[in-house]
Amino acid sequence: MNKFDLIRADFLNDFEKIQNLDGPSYLYEPIKYFVQSPGKRIRPVIVLFLSELFKNNKSDAMNGALGVELLHNFTLVHDDIMDEDDLRHNIMTIHKKWDNAHAVLSGDGLGALGPIFIAKINYNTLPILVRYHEVILEICEGQAYDMQFEKQDNVSVEKYLLMSQKKTGSLFEFCFEIPSYLSKEHIKYLELLKKIGRNVGIIFQIQDDVLEISSDDKNMGKGTDSDIRRNKKTILSCIASEDNKKKWNAFITSIENMNVVNKKKEFKKYLTENRIDIKAKEILDLQISNCNNLISELPDDIQEGVNELIDYILNRKN
Amino acid sequence: MNKFDLIRADFLNDFEKIQNLDGPSYLYEPIKYFVQSPGKRIRPVIVLFLSELFKNNKSDAMNGALGVELLHNFTLVHDDIMDEDDLRHNIMTIHKKWDNAHAVLSGDGLGALGPIFIAKINYNTLPILVRYHEVILEICEGQAYDMQFEKQDNVSVEKYLLMSQKKTGSLFEFCFEIPSYLSKEHIKYLELLKKIGRNVGIIFQIQDDVLEISSDDKNMGKGTDSDIRRNKKTILSCIASEDNKKKWNAFITSIENMNVVNKKKEFKKYLTENRIDIKAKEILDLQISNCNNLISELPDDIQEGVNELIDYILNRKN
């Protein structure tokens, strides 16, 4: 096991305590079911790894990690209702296994449990708790843009980046923020670490889009089907639209009535022929270079650790 | 205008600031629409009235009032999805006017906005914020029991009281709690005021059930239709079931295929013939007497005010 797997195992051990919660089965059965689905737990790993790097109190770090993972799970359950997705991490989503009512309520329950763990933190509790809600509101705004964009033919790259900052970047920012709040020594790098976290979130999102299309057809994830069906915007479709709106819109119209498999093939063909994938990689490289500049401003003794963490995050998908 | 109407007007004036929020319309349009629906605003009035009685800081009290009303609105939006209700305060519910996705997301947004106002409180902020989430979790548990009970033929009065304590009592408790936290002088009555608040919530709920059935047929609210359709439990159906399970179950089976109007008539007939309404009033009187005993433990100078407030709450419905 590498160190990240060890941290993850440590987290999962504590996360098991959700299984001991007692109360009405209508609420707690779906909650217990969902938190056991095989997510990568990247967000709590960030909180725990940085807390270890900053030599923070272990129990405070774990409560922070539980808080962010519960928040993340809350947004997943509700996003799955909104996107009408039947599968998540290859297991049935709550609204599919039960119904919408169970999914709405258990999502709310997960969202309420998160801050109950955050509140157990013994140091700088109030600012962390306050940020928890600002982050939820930002995620809601990101999800709102995501839903709005489904109904729009052309979305600018700028708008796409705003959406993914809010939807993905804000929670990654928060994961970098909690360990800073827990550290008397590193609180002075709070703003810098927040920027790095947000940046990593955006890179994580763009990379997901790019990898998806550059992988061979068989390895293109199930997620793509649902995204194509719902006309979800990715960095690639936004670049294509900005690059040549008329051509892109004509292409979209031309594949309208194809099945998902053919649509995927045509997408890939269009994106490579028009060098959209190259342009996406340029944007990705720019973001990575921004991120590296930010990291170079950190004190020497934590730079290596932060780089190691980011390598870990960006080589895996959640 | 009496003093409660003045407080309410004062609150609504501040509540208008929600209309100035800026961001994606997918999220904020339903939020702005829903908060303008004509609710009675009983919960913020409790916070503001008690804060005035305790001579608390006005701005802290208003932020507390905004927090509880937003929390209440969040639960209403999600409850309406779960109960598939098309109308709330005679206006279309969000999931009906838009769709489930809008209702899920804007409910989440309302739930995140609440604590953002609570966090603006300048005194005892942390314990109030921590309680906010305990209350949400309790409301979720109450709603879970409510949903579970729909599928059960016989629910005991004890279980019913547990459900309404959690679903309604917990937020009333919190409305009595915030002003206590804001007062250096009255914080010593925190536990007592919480008990009174919770008690008032249960009375509010039982009274709602009893009034509904004792009003003439024309005045029985629209809510009853939906409750009957969904087999929602009330204090009356729980008493009837405990009183004579066999007879009650036979009665329920006998009206199974009737339309809602006839069902209502038969319900009323059964409940009066079997003196279930009298028994409900006995339970109500017991709760009111408990509440009065609690109030008599408060210092003399606030007893009158608290009584006045409770009269106001229990003569109106939300």
Side-chain angles (χ1 to χ4, degrees), chain A residues 152-168:
Chain A
Q152 294 170 22
D153 285 335
N154 305 97
V155 172
S156 68
V157 172
E158 195 192 339
K159 280 266 169 93
Y160 175 85
L161 291 175
L162 175 71
M163 181 273 280
S164 74
Q165 262 195 49
K166 285 181 176 283
K167 189 167 167 170
T168 310

Side-chain angles (χ1 to χ4, degrees), chain A residues 160 164 168 200-210 235:
Chain A
Y160 175 85
S164 74
T168 310
V200 171
I202 298 165
I203 296 170
F204 182 81
Q205 185 60 55
I206 298 177
Q207 188 179 264
D208 208 49
D209 292 352
V210 172
I235 187 77

Side-chain angles (χ1 to χ4, degrees), chain B residues 161 165 192-200 202-203 206 281-298 306-307 310 314:
Chain B
L161 291 176
Q165 262 194 50
L192 185 54
L193 284 157
K194 282 174 70 172
K195 271 188 207 157
I196 295 171
R198 180 168 283 245
N199 211 247
V200 170
I202 299 165
I203 296 170
I206 299 177
K281 276 177 192 149
E282 282 167 13
I283 293 181
L284 188 58
D285 287 342
L286 186 67
Q287 295 283 346
I288 291 173
S289 145
N290 283 346
C291 192
N292 288 334
N293 287 339
L294 291 168
I295 293 171
S296 71
E297 292 175 42
L298 287 172
V306 171
N307 272 316
I310 293 174
L314 298 180

Side-chain angles (χ1 to χ4, degrees), chain B residues 139-170:
Chain B
I139 295 174
C140 288
E141 289 179 357
Q143 173 69 3
Y145 283 124
D146 197 17
M147 297 298 288
Q148 267 175 232
F149 293 168
E150 284 182 11
K151 309 279 175 224
Q152 294 170 22
D153 284 336
N154 304 96
V155 172
S156 68
V157 172
E158 195 190 340
K159 280 265 167 98
Y160 175 85
L161 291 176
L162 175 70
M163 181 273 281
S164 73
Q165 262 194 50
K166 285 182 175 283
K167 189 168 168 172
T168 311
S170 59

Side-chain angles (χ1 to χ4, degrees), chain B residues 298-315:
Chain B
L298 287 172
D300 289 345
D301 62 322
I302 59 168
Q303 279 192 30
E304 196 188 322
V306 171
N307 272 316
E308 207 179 347
L309 173 67
I310 293 174
D311 286 345
Y312 166 78
I313 298 168
L314 298 180
N315 286 324

Side-chain angles (χ1 to χ4, degrees), chain A residues 49-93:
Chain A
F49 177 87
L50 289 177
S51 287
E52 213 174 289
L53 189 66
F54 298 171
K55 301 184 179 65
N56 294 339
N57 176 287
K58 278 189 182 174
S59 134
D60 283 353
M62 185 57 83
N63 283 318
L66 291 163
V68 297
E69 184 62 12
L70 288 162
L71 190 165
H72 182 53
N73 279 257
F74 144 54
T75 64
L76 295 180
V77 172
H78 282 184
D79 282 6
D80 287 338
I81 305 174
M82 288 181 247
D83 291 341
E84 297 170 306
D85 278 326
D86 295 345
L87 291 174
R88 160 82 60 186
H89 302 132
N90 286 318
I91 70 161
M92 254 194 273
T93 50

Side-chain angles (χ1 to χ4, degrees), chain B residues 225-236:
Chain B
D225 292 15
S226 153
D227 288 352
I228 288 178
R229 189 170 37 84
R230 299 191 62 89
N231 189 27
K232 286 277 183 204
K233 297 301 174 289
T234 68
I235 188 78
L236 296 154

Side-chain angles (χ1 to χ4, degrees), chain A residues 27-267:
Chain A
L27 175 65
Y28 288 107
E29 250 183 54
I31 285 179
K32 290 175 186 182
Y33 164 82
F34 192 80
V35 297
Q36 282 188 320
S37 68
K40 287 291 182 290
R41 318 299 180 185
I42 287 182
R43 292 157 191 82
V45 167
I46 298 175
V47 175
L48 293 172
F49 177 87
L50 289 177
S51 287
E52 213 174 289
L53 189 66
F54 298 171
K55 301 184 179 65
N56 294 339
N57 176 287
K58 278 189 182 174
S59 134
D60 283 353
M62 185 57 83
N63 283 318
L66 291 163
V68 297
E69 184 62 12
L70 288 162
L71 190 165
H72 182 53
N73 279 257
F74 144 54
T75 64
L76 295 180
V77 172
H78 282 184
D79 282 6
D80 287 338
I81 305 174
M82 288 181 247
D83 291 341
E84 297 170 306
D85 278 326
D86 295 345
L87 291 174
R88 160 82 60 186
H89 302 132
N90 286 318
I91 70 161
M92 254 194 273
T93 50
I94 294 181
H95 69 93
K96 181 73 184 173
K97 191 173 161 77
W98 285 273
D99 54 28
N100 274 350
H102 280 84
V104 169
L105 192 63
S106 54
D108 290 343
L110 286 161
L113 280 169
I116 288 176
F117 286 100
I118 298 280
K120 291 181 186 181
I121 293 175
N122 283 313
Y123 184 66
N124 268 334
T125 325
L126 184 58
I128 299 173
L129 204 46
V130 168
R131 283 285 298 142
Y132 187 94
H133 304 287
E134 291 173 359
V135 172
I136 295 184
L137 194 61
E138 240 199 300
I139 295 173
C140 288
E141 289 180 357
Q143 173 69 2
Y145 283 124
D146 198 17
M147 298 298 287
Q148 267 174 232
F149 293 167
E150 284 182 10
K151 308 283 174 221
Q152 294 170 22
D153 285 335
N154 305 97
V155 172
S156 68
V157 172
E158 195 192 339
K159 280 266 169 93
Y160 175 85
L161 291 175
L162 175 71
M163 181 273 280
S164 74
Q165 262 195 49
K166 285 181 176 283
K167 189 167 167 170
T168 310
S170 59
L171 186 51
F172 274 84
E173 174 180 321
F174 191 47
C175 294
F176 275 69
E177 192 171 358
I178 293 175
S180 324
Y181 268 124
L182 294 181
S183 165
K184 280 199 180 70
E185 195 187 331
H186 296 91
I187 182 80
K188 56 177 174 289
Y189 304 110
L190 178 70
E191 289 309 319
L192 185 55
L193 284 157
K194 283 173 71 173
K195 272 188 207 160
I196 295 171
R198 180 169 284 245
N199 212 246
V200 171
I202 298 165
I203 296 170
F204 182 81
Q205 185 60 55
I206 298 177
Q207 188 179 264
D208 208 49
D209 292 352
V210 172
L211 279 179
E212 195 64 21
I213 208 74
S214 58
S215 64
D216 61 54
D217 292 348
K218 273 186 187 166
N219 287 327
M220 280 175 79
K222 280 262 176 195
T224 327
D225 293 15
S226 153
D227 288 352
I228 288 178
R229 189 169 38 83
R230 299 191 62 88
N231 188 26
K232 285 277 183 205
K233 297 302 173 289
T234 67
I235 187 77
L236 296 155
S237 61
C238 295
I239 295 172
S241 154
E242 262 189 13
D243 185 59
N244 191 333
K245 194 170 172 173
K246 217 169 154 183
K247 190 175 176 186
W248 173 248
N249 287 349
F251 164 71
I252 290 294
T253 310
S254 75
I255 61 163
E256 217 164 46
N257 298 318
M258 288 184 186
N259 65 32
V260 173
V261 177
N262 288 334
K263 265 190 186 176
K264 273 198 217 179
K265 274 188 199 155
E266 291 301 318
F267 257 120

